[in-house]
Each structure stands twice: as structure tokens, then as C-alpha cells.
Amino acid sequence: MAEIPAATGERRTGRLLASLIVVMIVFGGVGMTLLARRYWWLLPVASAHGVDVDRLIYTTFVVTGIVFVLVHILIAAFVWRFGARGTERAAYWHDDRTLELTYTLVPAAVLVTLISMGAVVWARVHGPAPADSMVVEVRGEQFGWLFRYPGPDGIFGRVDPARISPKDNPMGLDPADPASADDLVTRELHLAVNRPVRVRIRSKDVLHSFFIPAFRVKQDAVPGMTVEIWFTPTREGTYEIACAELCGIGHYIMRGKVMVESADAVQTWLAQQSH
Amino acid sequence: MPAPTRTLERPPSARDPGTPAIGGRGPDGTGGDALAGTPATTPARIAVWLLVGAITVLFAAFTSTYLVRRGEADWRVGPLPPVLWVTTGVLLGSSVALEGARRHARRGEMAGLRTWLTVTTLLGLAFLAGQLLAWRQLVAAGVYLSSYPHSSFFYLLTGAHGLHLAGGIGALLYAVRRAPAAATAAAALDVADPVAAYWHFLTGLWIYLFVILFAL
Amino acid sequence: MAVMHEAAHEEHKLGFLQRYVFSQDHKIIGIQYMMTSLFMAAVGGVLAMLIRMELGWPGARWGLAKWLFPGGFTGDGTLKPDFYLAVVTMHGSIMIFFVLTTALSGGFGNFLIPLTIGARDMAFPFMNMLSYWLYPPAIVVLLASFFVAGGAPNAGWTAYPPLSALYNPATGTGLAAPGSGLGQSLWLVSLAILIVSFLFGSLNYITTVLQLRTRGMSMGRMPLVTWAQFTTAILMLLSFPVLFAAVVMLLFDRHLGTSFFVPSGLVVGGQLVTHQGGNPLLWQHLFWFLGHPEVYVLILPPMGIVSEILAVHGRKPIFGYKAMVASICAIAFLSFLVWGHHMFTSGMNPLVGTAFMVTTLAIAIPSAVKTFNWVATLWRARIHFTPAMLFAIGFVSLFVTGGLTGIFLGSPAVDVYFQDTFFVVAHFHFVMASAALFGLFGGLYHWFPKMFGRMMDERLGKLHFWLTFVGIYATFFPMHFLGMAGEPRRYYSPQMYDFLRGLSGLNMFVSLAAFGLGLAQLIFAYNFIRSLFRGPKAEGNPWHANTLEWQADSPPPHGNWGATLPTVHRWPYDYSVPGATEDYIPQTVPVTAAVVAGGALHHPVQGGAPDEPPTTDLNSA
């Protein structure tokens, strides 16, 4: 078969590429992940459902990590081995029903498993909130967060955007509604540890997203809508609230704080606010 | 190709019935020279259906937002300008006239084809004039584009439909000039058919818009 | 012969303007698309560098940049936050719509579709010319937004209202962000123009493939690159009108006082907004109904390109041709059903979220099939590590990496954490941006000889690959960890948050890698431009490939095929057929006339194959 010109130098390039794939992608990827575990990782989880979410993240990480390494090793091995050399020909091999079926069905099975696990967690996150939940309202605005507690009556009073004034009535409470009289509007969020909380999320102007990384909570604040989520903080401490939906030039400074403390401490704080 | 070779038209091995042909064992390559590319239709006939598909998606987008919006509590439907009944009739009439034109074309009666295509075009123009009149009536009644959601959608949907219909009138004018001048009935239909497909689609689209704007 | 006469005559008759500027020749139009896209890639690349400058060293002073972008920097040389958002928005919009879509679909689609199916041109050459000539005006309108009051849009490439919708006609700037002024309107108008261009293009592609395939070129014998372009055109035809509708409605909201997307009762800058009764989520639904198929508009053509390159430079049939075609179609179909996975945190019904999770992860199955087919193609191949092949192998690696991170984002409970963080940025830069870019580079190295009749420099091409491959991984892989740690995207500076402070070192590393990646592209620019004029002349079929375009001259003449159209006798992947002398058998070689040991067929069409090609064809009619 003299018609095929003998290849020169291809194997060397192939080995270089194979080594690069192994060193950079496999070793580099795995190594960087190990490094990241120490320096650039998820914040320690501080909510009940966050534990499930983290477990799902880790499971997905392991599954995808294995596939990532295996496929790259496979590519590297083929690239190493099958660089053109001499006049050796390629195989005229273009179909294999069993092989193709295998690598359709195996990923499908893995994905079905992941889907089922994901669906269970998702359903739990969005299941009905426990009856003893505390309720609080969060309103995003350019560029900050405002919180409202319903007060002893447990009812949020009516709000009217036309009444909003930054100093006296930032929430736009309507004094005509008796339910609004005991509503408490604050710039800080205080939550009781281990008590589920229902958060009603609204927006004053544009889209925002209520993101508490430590709680694995993120929910868009959509103007014109009230979206409710619930979660249970499980560790006392102070956590940061970030905005995760582009909302204008101050998007990056839209920082809020949530204090998780004992139920008594929250009551005391609320009592202080109302005076 | 570097090496000197000799040309073999039909190698004996390949002519042998028992020997498989060399190469071509990939899908559809076992030597059956299936003749594709014998066109069963004209590019314009395909293109017009693709165009109809794209416009369907466009209006599906418009009307899906409309249908979502009308499900909300503060929804109210604006007044129906009576002239819309007339324009609907006119547009249906234009489609009938266009079918008349195609019937003439099939029989090779080019004069009749021209007459009926012209009638279709005039009815199309009458429809557009009627739609404009409907806008004028609404404006006179104080219903503007930004008055309330239904009015916004009314102007948007009728306007978008009207623009597409104006394009259809351009196509009809082209057909009036070209179709009757064609040598054969088939050639005349090659021009008239795509235009008719587009035009009937716009008639159907208008009925759909009319229904969801006022009847739902 | 009459046909060729006519074609040659016509070519002679055409002036420079009609031949190279307002050309109706699909090859020229393809090259025009490609060149314009590469220019826009440079613009988008410079914007990317600005983003990384700011994120690597937030608030730093850049003396030189102040002079280059006078409006974007303060007097002491720091980047302004609104200019930062404008840059982010324009980088995304340009790269997605004005570089990758136009280069891959407009450039390669135009150049390759008629050539690979044995046609003389597109079905509607004039419409094809219009399609290209809508693209430069769209660019002018888009870039003009940098120079109007308020500057370029700030709302991101997704342009979510109300941020993008609120406009103050008195000042010409936006209410909620400076860039939501006239700049946002220009952005919308520019997209509308470009969408019309895309629709003309895709209408043409589909009709051409359905109607103008040469004798013997059944759909089952089309090369995968053509299948990918064909499917992409269908995707574009059925998804871009939706964006068009959304763009029109947003323009109405901004300028004509309607309230499709703006709800009642907004208070912006202390003022009660007069709009009432709209719903901002409607925009998101419309946008992502386009937006997700758009992702596949960007990745399907590279998939086709890579399939060709792996077969040609691996001297081996592509593995699982039918599965490849089926998975292209499956991906295209499913891509219409997954848009909701961009909206898991938008407040949609959780059950709908579950449905979108199922469709999203389902699309991973055909993607996995394609990946394994590519890997299987490498098995027992005879790989020539040309620059095209290196980029094709790189593509597979990037696609695997990006595809796997997609599994995180497809699962809503996990996505809630990663949504709008740098994990998403890393994900789509791998799977869509870098992989598509590798497809583009691979395709350019592969088809450059056919496009321009000259060879590119192979050593420089390899150097370009090594630096780009390392640069891409160094830039985008660490971004996963920025996202793990929770850094949101589109932040002017992450320094405001305690939980993000520890990331500054990693951000600096990413920026340095990005600069290196950017610089490496200069090698490509040099090689490309130099080879255009100085590259060695290419033969007709330098890679010894089977598909039809390689059986034409390099570059193919006007009308592509001379007197008679080629006739197709076999599938496109007869590489290394046992018993044949050559390790490739072009599609034009009759099966009966195939080559046995010691004999080869020089030029099948001239050889008088048993079934004579048709003497007339549609284009010349």
C-alpha cells in the first residue's frame, strides 16, 4: 500500500497532546478541585434543606468527576496510541450496535438516577411550609433589602407604591388598613434558629434575586409578583444576603445581613424595633 | 495522487454478483444509487411553507403572551369596531377569489386568472383599508395603543398581521404580472400556488386573531 | 457545455462590486460573513479583556485604557460601573449573535451547504445577498449604542425588563440604569435587523438542502456538517421569530407606552412608573424560548464540523453515522422543550421546574451519544495531528467538560445555588463559547484551502492550538470554583462581600490566563492574514477528503462544478476501506468502479460513470 505516504512526526504530537490532557485536565482538574476544597468552596451549610442540596451537589460532583476523568483518559489513550505511523491504516469500523446501545443506555440510567434524586430534593424544598413557621417579607429595591414582620396580628397590612417615601414610609404601608399598624419594617433580617421561616419576596422596581449562599437559598424578586419560599436556618450567626439578578449599576453593592439567633433574642430585637 | 495508477472502470470483482462492492458499506452506501435531487416541487413552494412556519411561530409568541395576560384578574376586552365584520368578510372573499384564479390557471385560462388575481388584490387592499378604518374608529372612541392591555394587543396583532398582508399584496401584484404571462398552466401555477398558500395562511391567521381578540 | 459557458461568461461580465461586494455567490457571501464575524470577534475579545481587567483588580486604575475608552473610565482611570455593565452586555451580545451565530451558520453554512450537496449555489441567491447585507447595518446600529446618551445597554445580553424597559424620553437615558436609554433601543433594533438576516439565511439553507441536492445525494448520504447546518437552519427559523416578537413588544413598551412586560406600581428613583399591568416573566419565557435553541444553533454546526475533521484527519469513517444524525435531530427537537431551566429561580411552579429538569437531562443523552461516537472514531484511527484535528479533539474535551457541569445546572435544587454565579459562566463558556470557538477554528484550518486556495501555516496553527487549549482551561476551569464559593456574575466588584474576599487571588489568576488566551489569538490573526496572501497554493483536495466540496477546485469557480454536476455514489465516510488502494474514496466514485489493489480511479466524473450526471440543473434555469 505504497499510496499512503508514510507519516512523520504525528506520533510525537499525539503523545504531547495526550500528556497535556492527562497532566493539565486530569491531574490539574482533580488537583485544583482538592485545592478548591480548602480555599474556594461552598460556605458551611447553615440551613436544613441545604444539607440535602449539598448531598446532591456532592453526588453529582462524584458522578460527573468520574465521567470527566474516564473520558479524558480514553481520549488521551487513543491520541497517544493512534497517531499516524508508517503506512499503517485505520480500521474501517463505523458501526457497532451493542456498543452504541451501551453508551446510550448507561448514561440514560445514570441520568434517570440523578433526575430522581434531584426531583426528591426539589419537591422537599418546595413542599408546604410547616404550620409553625415564622413569616417575613423581603422587598428588593435599587440597591438594598427591606424586611417586614407582620407584628402580633400575624397579618401584613396593605401596601401602596404611591405612598412610598424613602424616609418615613419606605415600604409604602397604607395607614388606612388596620393590619398595617403593627407591621414592623426593618433593614436587617433576624431569624430564629431551627424555626422554619416563610419568606415572601417582592420587588419595588426591577428584578432582584434574594441569595443567601450559606442557606443555599436563591429566589428572584419579581416586580408585580409575590413569591414565597421557606427554609429553616440551623446555625446561629450572621450571614450575608447578596443580589443574584442584575439590577443596575449598584448590583454589586446590594448587600444585606441576616442574623440567626435564639427565639428569645429575636423577640427582644423585635420589641426594640417597635419603639 | 502520488503513485502511478491505472484506471479500472468496472473491476471484475465488483461485477461478480457474489462479491460485495468495495467500500460503501456505510449507511445507504451499498451501491444502490438512489436518485435524490429529482425535484418534486419548486423552491418557492418549499420556501413559502417555511415562511408560513416562521410567521406562525412569531404569532404564537405574540398570542401566547396575550393568552397568559388575559388570564389575569384586571383583564377587560375593548370595544369591537363593527367594520371588522366587514373586513373579515372581505378577506374571506379574497381567498375565495384566489381559489377562482387558481381554478382558471389549472384550465390554462390566463385571462380569467388575471381577472381573479386582480379581484383578490383589490379585496386585499380593501381589507387593509378597513383595518385602518377600524383603528380610526377606536382612536375616535378614545382607545389608544397604551390605553389598556387589550388595546395594546389589538393594535399590535392587527398591525403585525396587516404588515404581513401588505407583503402578500406585493406577492399578488407579482403574480398578476407573471402568472398569466406563463406559457403553460403548470408554470402559471408555479407562480400562483406559493402566493395562494401565503394568502390563505394570512386569512386563517386573521380568523384566529379575530377569535382570540374578541370571542374568547 | 452551455452551462459552463454561461457561468464563465457571467463571471467575466460582473464588475468588482457585483463579484466581491454585492455578490450573490454563496462562497463569497460565506467568506464575507466569516470575515465580518472575525472582526466582531476581535471587538468582543477586547471587551472580554476589559471585563477581566476589572474583575482581576477591582477598582484599579488603568492609565492607558482611559485614553482608549474615554467615556468608560473616570478621570483617574478606574472603570465606571455602568460602563462595566455595558461591556458585559455587549461582550455577550456580540459573541453570541454577531460572532458565533454569524460565523458558524452564516459563514460555514453559506460556504459549505451548496458545495457539500453538489449544488451550484443557494436556492435564492439574491435573498442570500440580502441576508449578508443586513448584517453590517445591524453591527453599525449595535456599536452606535456606545456613543449615545447613557451609553451601551446595561441589562445583560438577556435584557430582562423592567431594567431594560424603563426609559426616560426627556433625557434619553434609562430610568433604572443609564444604559437603558437610547442604547438599549439601538440594541433591540440591531437584533431585529439581524433576526431578519438570519431568517433569510435559514429559509435559503433549508430550501437548498431539500431541493438542490445533486443526483445520488440522498439525505442519508449527506455529510454530518451539512446535516448539522440543515438542522440548525430549522432551529433558527422556528426560534428567532419568538425573539423578534419579544423585541417588538419591548420596543413598544419603551417608546409607545404599552405595558407588555412592565407591571403596575413600580417605584424607580423615587418616581411612580406610569406603566401598568405587564408581566416581566413573559419576556423571560419568550427570550429563553429562543435563547436555548440559540445555544444549539451555536453548538450544532461545530458538532458537524468536528465530525468531518475527525473522519478526514483520522482517516477513518465517522463512527455511528446514523446515530449522529439521529442525535442531531433529537438535540434540535429537545432544545425547544428546555427553556425553563434558565428560570428555576424565577418563581415558576415547582412542578414545571421538575418537567424542565427531565427534558434538560434528557438532552444530555444524545449529547453523550455524540461524544462517545467521536471518541470511538479516534479508536484505531490513523490520526494526522493537523491544527484542524487538534482543535477538533480539543472541542471534544471542552464539550465533555462543559456538558458535565450542565448536569448540575439542569437539576433545579442544585441550580438554585449555582444560578447566576460564575459556575454558570464557566459552564456556558466551556460548552457553548469555547467549544463553538474550537469548532470555528477547526473549521477554518480545515476549509481555509478550499475557501482561499492557499494553505495556512501548520506550525503556527499548532502553536495557536497549544496556547489556546491551555489558555481556555486556565481561564474557565477555575471559574467553576468562583461559582462554588458563590460569586454572582455581572458584579462590578466582588470585594463588597465578606464571603467573596478570599477569591481575589483566583480572580487574578483567571484574568492573567484570559490575557494570555487573548494574546494567543494574535498568532491566529497573523497566520490567517499572512496565509491569505502568502500561503502556499493549495491543491483541490489537500486532505484527501471524500466530500463533494473537495472534488471541486480550490477555490471553486463561480457555479462550483464546471459543465456537469457531480453524481454521488456513496456515503461520505469511505476512509481506509480494506482492499482499496487509496485510503479514501470520494463520494463521486461509483461503487462498481471502486478501486482495487493496483488500480485507482483518477477522476470519476470524467471517467464516464455508468449513470451520467444530469446535464441541466436547476440553478442555471
Side-chain angles (χ1 to χ4, degrees):
Chain A
M1 309 255 165
E3 287 78 9
I4 300 172
T8 50
E10 298 296 352
R11 302 219 96 192
R12 214 177 51 225
T13 317
R15 295 197 164 162
L16 189 58
L17 179 59
S19 314
L20 182 65
I21 289 175
V22 169
V23 171
M24 177 178 81
I25 301 180
V26 179
F27 293 161
V30 174
M32 186 154 196
T33 308
L34 296 177
L35 203 64
R37 291 279 289 120
R38 290 195 51 180
Y39 299 109
W40 318 297
W41 204 251
L42 299 156
L43 288 178
V45 63
S47 71
H49 79 276
V51 177
D52 295 331
V53 172
D54 280 12
R55 193 175 304 128
L56 199 56
I57 292 178
Y58 284 116
T59 314
T60 316
F61 213 95
V62 170
V63 173
T64 53
I66 291 171
V67 179
F68 173 75
V69 170
L70 284 184
V71 173
H72 274 106
I73 286 179
L74 214 56
I75 296 174
F78 292 176
V79 164
W80 178 280
R81 167 68 185 79
F82 297 113
R85 67 171 165 192
T87 57
E88 188 184 63
R89 282 200 178 210
Y92 189 70
W93 179 69
H94 51 67
D95 276 295
D96 186 327
R97 185 72 59 85
T98 321
L99 185 64
E100 286 173 78
L101 216 57
T102 312
Y103 59 57
T104 309
L105 294 180
V106 171
V110 173
L111 284 168
V112 167
T113 316
L114 286 176
I115 287 175
S116 321
M117 293 170 61
V120 169
V121 177
W122 180 242
R124 203 177 300 151
V125 171
H126 281 275
D132 65 332
S133 303
M134 138 183 211
V135 190
V136 63
E137 184 178 272
V138 173
R139 199 201 59 184
E141 64 184 332
Q142 287 182 327
F143 298 97
W145 303 98
L146 203 60
F147 307 97
R148 175 159 68 139
Y149 294 83
D153 65 355
I155 301 168
F156 289 108
R158 196 168 54 234
V159 287
D160 178 2
R163 290 178 190 278
I164 291 178
S165 91
K167 278 216 188 86
D168 317 324
N169 193 356
M171 196 61 120
L173 290 174
D174 185 353
D177 183 2
S180 70
D182 63 347
D183 284 8
L184 211 64
V185 178
T186 65
R187 285 279 172 192
E188 270 179 13
L189 181 59
H190 286 242
L191 298 175
V193 68
N194 289 329
R195 177 156 178 215
V197 55
R198 280 162 49 199
V199 183
R200 296 160 36 121
I201 298 170
R202 298 195 300 120
S203 168
K204 170 179 147 192
D205 36 41
V206 298
L207 288 163
H208 302 278
S209 194
F210 180 68
F211 178 31
I212 309 179
F215 294 174
R216 316 291 187 254
V217 160
K218 188 180 289 145
Q219 178 60 54
D220 288 4
V222 185
M225 276 170 72
T226 303
V227 186
E228 190 175 300
I229 56 166
W230 72 274
F231 55 87
T232 313
T234 51
R235 282 176 25 168
E236 290 189 24
T238 305
Y239 303 94
E240 285 180 301
I241 304 170
C243 178
E245 187 70 77
L246 178 57
C247 60
I249 53 172
H251 177 44
Y252 71 108
I253 51 169
M254 195 168 154
R255 177 169 176 257
K257 263 203 278 187
V258 48
M259 263 70 100
V260 179
E261 47 204 19
S262 70
D264 292 342
V266 174
Q267 283 312 318
T268 320
W269 176 77
L270 279 174
Q272 282 164 1
Q273 300 303 309
S274 45
H275 294 305
Chain B
M1 312 308 102
T5 48
R6 80 192 152 85
T7 303
L8 263 189
E9 269 321 308
R10 289 156 178 270
S13 63
R15 235 187 280 148
D16 260 346
T19 325
I22 286 177
R25 258 166 295 183
D28 224 5
T30 36
D33 281 321
L35 289 185
T38 354
T41 177
T42 59
R45 282 199 177 87
I46 296 179
V48 76
W49 284 110
L50 298 176
L51 193 64
V52 163
I55 297 172
T56 306
V57 176
L58 178 74
F59 278 88
F62 281 138
T63 56
S64 63
T65 54
Y66 172 84
L67 293 173
V68 170
R69 183 63 189 86
R70 73 183 288 285
E72 280 168 35
D74 59 341
W75 182 255
R76 67 190 174 96
V77 177
L80 194 170
V83 68
L84 287 186
W85 292 108
V86 181
T87 57
T88 306
V90 167
L91 194 59
L92 284 171
S94 76
S95 270
V96 174
L98 189 52
E99 276 313 291
R102 283 176 69 211
R103 201 161 39 242
H104 283 283
R106 273 196 290 275
R107 293 198 217 110
E109 297 163 8
M110 298 306 179
L113 171 63
R114 188 194 311 272
T115 312
W116 284 106
L117 280 178
T118 312
V119 170
T120 312
T121 315
L122 290 175
L123 287 173
L125 286 170
F127 172 82
L128 277 188
Q131 298 293 87
L132 271 178
L133 190 63
W135 282 14
R136 298 298 311 157
Q137 286 177 351
L138 281 180
V139 168
V143 177
Y144 300 102
L145 177 67
S146 58
S147 295
Y148 44 88
H150 183 270
S151 74
S152 302
F153 275 107
F154 176 80
Y155 283 103
L156 176 73
L157 293 174
T158 50
H161 176 263
L163 280 177
H164 285 91
L165 199 107
I169 286 177
L172 275 173
L173 288 174
Y174 174 81
V176 169
R177 255 168 50 96
R178 298 297 287 272
T184 62
L189 282 174
D190 280 349
V191 178
D193 280 355
V195 177
Y198 183 67
W199 193 262
H200 293 325
F201 163 71
L202 287 179
T203 304
L205 180 62
W206 169 247
I207 304 293
Y208 164 70
L209 293 179
F210 196 39
V211 166
I212 68 161
L213 276 171
F214 293 105
L216 271 184
Chain C
M1 277 298 121
V3 179
M4 186 168 73
H5 244 83
E6 209 173 287
H9 184 63
E10 206 168 307
E11 186 158 10
H12 185 71
K13 212 169 54 186
L14 294 173
F16 175 82
L17 216 58
Q18 278 157 311
R19 222 153 123 192
Y20 296 112
V21 182
F22 297 104
S23 170
Q24 298 188 22
D25 184 322
H26 73 99
K27 299 181 291 296
I28 302 290
I29 294 173
I31 289 168
Q32 287 173 327
Y33 258 117
M34 189 59 77
M35 294 299 192
T36 319
S37 306
L38 290 177
F39 165 73
M40 288 308 280
V43 176
V46 169
L47 296 177
M49 297 301 123
L50 285 175
I51 297 174
R52 282 321 314 179
M53 271 164 58
E54 173 57 31
L55 289 179
W57 299 269
R61 293 178 186 175
W62 306 84
L64 187 64
K66 187 175 76 181
W67 300 106
L68 291 172
F69 304 92
F73 288 77
T74 60
D76 60 356
T78 51
L79 193 79
K80 291 182 193 163
D82 62 320
F83 185 65
Y84 174 76
L85 291 181
V87 167
V88 169
T89 303
M90 294 297 265
H91 167 71
S93 317
I94 287 176
M95 287 303 198
I96 290 167
F97 294 115
F98 290 82
V99 176
L100 292 174
T101 312
T102 48
L104 291 163
S105 193
F108 283 123
N110 260 307
F111 189 83
L112 291 177
I113 288 175
L115 276 171
T116 52
I117 62 172
R120 293 202 185 277
D121 208 313
M122 288 285 180
F124 306 104
F126 181 75
M127 197 201 271
N128 208 18
M129 181 187 80
L130 274 186
S131 162
Y132 173 73
W133 279 107
L134 285 169
Y135 173 34
I139 292 176
V140 171
V141 174
L142 184 81
L143 294 183
S145 67
F146 273 116
F147 304 100
V148 296
N154 292 164
W157 83 282
T158 52
Y160 280 0
L163 186 64
S164 62
L166 301 176
Y167 172 60
N168 184 354
T171 61
T173 58
L175 269 183
S180 300
L182 213 51
Q184 186 75 52
S185 299
L186 290 173
W187 185 89
L188 289 166
V189 170
S190 160
L191 268 192
I193 299 172
L194 195 65
I195 290 169
V196 176
S197 155
F198 288 164
L199 291 180
F200 283 167
S202 47
L203 204 77
N204 232 328
Y205 297 175
I206 300 170
T207 313
T208 306
V209 168
L210 290 179
Q211 193 69 7
L212 298 185
R213 295 192 314 279
T214 191
R215 203 168 171 195
M217 178 60 85
S218 60
M219 294 295 274
R221 284 180 180 172
M222 280 203 315
L224 288 172
V225 70
T226 317
W227 262 107
Q229 290 288 352
F230 175 64
T231 319
T232 303
I234 296 176
L235 273 186
M236 291 173 80
L237 188 81
L238 296 182
S239 63
F240 270 107
V242 178
L243 182 63
F244 193 86
V247 162
V248 168
M249 288 162 91
L250 190 51
L251 277 172
F252 271 46
D253 273 6
R254 290 172 53 78
H255 294 284
L256 300 175
T258 58
S259 301
F260 295 116
F261 303 126
V262 187
S264 321
L266 300 190
V267 181
V268 179
Q271 297 292 315
L272 192 62
V273 172
T274 52
H275 290 271
Q276 43 189 316
N279 183 345
L281 290 187
L282 287 178
W283 167 272
Q284 298 186 20
H285 280 290
L286 292 179
F287 185 87
W288 287 115
F289 188 85
L290 155 92
H292 207 79
E294 168 65 11
V295 171
Y296 291 93
V297 165
L298 301 189
I299 203 66
L300 285 176
M303 284 175 165
I305 289 170
V306 164
S307 304
E308 289 314 304
I309 295 175
L310 289 178
V312 174
H313 299 260
R315 314 310 297 158
K316 185 164 173 284
I318 192 76
F319 189 78
Y321 173 83
K322 279 185 177 165
M324 289 299 228
V325 172
S327 53
I328 288 176
C329 298
I331 288 172
F333 174 74
L334 286 171
S335 74
F336 283 109
L337 305 176
V338 298
W339 80 91
H341 70 220
H342 297 272
M343 300 171 62
F344 284 144
T345 64
S346 71
M348 58 157 59
N349 188 321
L351 283 178
V352 180
T354 309
F356 278 119
M357 166 174 70
V358 173
T359 52
T360 301
L361 295 187
I363 212 167
I365 297 171
S367 309
V369 170
K370 292 198 83 75
T371 306
F372 287 119
N373 277 345
W374 290 319
V375 175
T377 304
L378 293 176
W379 162 253
R380 294 179 64 200
R382 175 184 160 81
I383 303 173
H384 294 272
F385 292 99
T386 54
M389 187 63 168
L390 290 169
F391 274 104
I393 296 170
F395 169 93
V396 178
S397 163
L398 296 173
F399 185 71
V400 168
T401 308
L404 288 171
T405 51
I407 293 176
F408 289 83
L409 302 175
S411 183
V414 175
D415 178 72
V416 161
Y417 182 73
F418 287 126
Q419 168 75 20
D420 268 316
T421 67
F422 263 85
F423 194 88
V424 175
V425 178
H427 162 71
F428 70 72
H429 274 98
F430 264 106
V431 79
M432 176 181 98
S434 307
L437 194 69
F438 269 46
L440 176 63
F441 282 137
L444 278 175
Y445 283 109
H446 183 69
W447 278 290
F448 189 92
K450 188 51 63 184
M451 287 181 162
F452 303 107
R454 290 177 187 274
M455 306 295 288
M456 282 181 85
D457 187 291
E458 206 166 308
R459 283 164 53 102
L460 283 177
K462 282 183 185 171
L463 182 65
H464 173 223
F465 168 77
W466 298 122
L467 294 176
T468 306
F469 193 50
V470 174
I472 291 263
Y473 265 97
T475 305
F476 296 114
F477 200 80
M479 281 190 189
H480 291 117
F481 302 114
L482 295 175
M484 269 291 201
E487 180 174 343
R489 62 196 285 210
R490 294 165 172 171
Y491 268 25
Y492 170 70
S493 158
Q495 297 299 315
M496 296 296 151
Y497 289 87
D498 295 335
F499 78 103
L500 298 177
R501 280 219 182 95
L503 301 176
S504 57
L506 192 58
N507 262 316
M508 257 183 253
F509 175 82
V510 168
S511 290
L512 289 173
F515 297 155
L517 179 61
L519 285 176
Q521 304 320 304
L522 296 178
I523 301 174
F524 172 78
Y526 170 76
N527 190 2
F528 187 86
I529 294 169
R530 191 177 177 279
S531 305
L532 275 182
F533 301 102
R534 295 275 172 81
K537 290 264 188 241
E539 34 178 324
N541 193 358
W543 312 122
H544 294 185
N546 287 346
T547 41
L548 290 182
E549 78 272 24
W550 296 106
Q551 316 314 318
D553 294 342
S554 292
H558 191 70
N560 297 347
W561 307 108
T564 46
L565 291 178
T567 302
V568 170
H569 300 274
R570 57 182 69 233
W571 77 319
Y573 299 110
D574 266 341
Y575 292 103
S576 299
V577 177
T581 28
E582 303 275 0
D583 64 350
Y584 70 111
I585 309 178
Q587 285 188 279
T588 46
V589 176
V591 171
T592 44
V595 198
V596 291
L601 195 72
H602 268 307
H603 205 294
V605 180
Q606 289 167 350
D611 35 0
E612 273 294 323
T615 43
T616 56
D617 57 277
L618 281 162
N619 279 329
S620 58

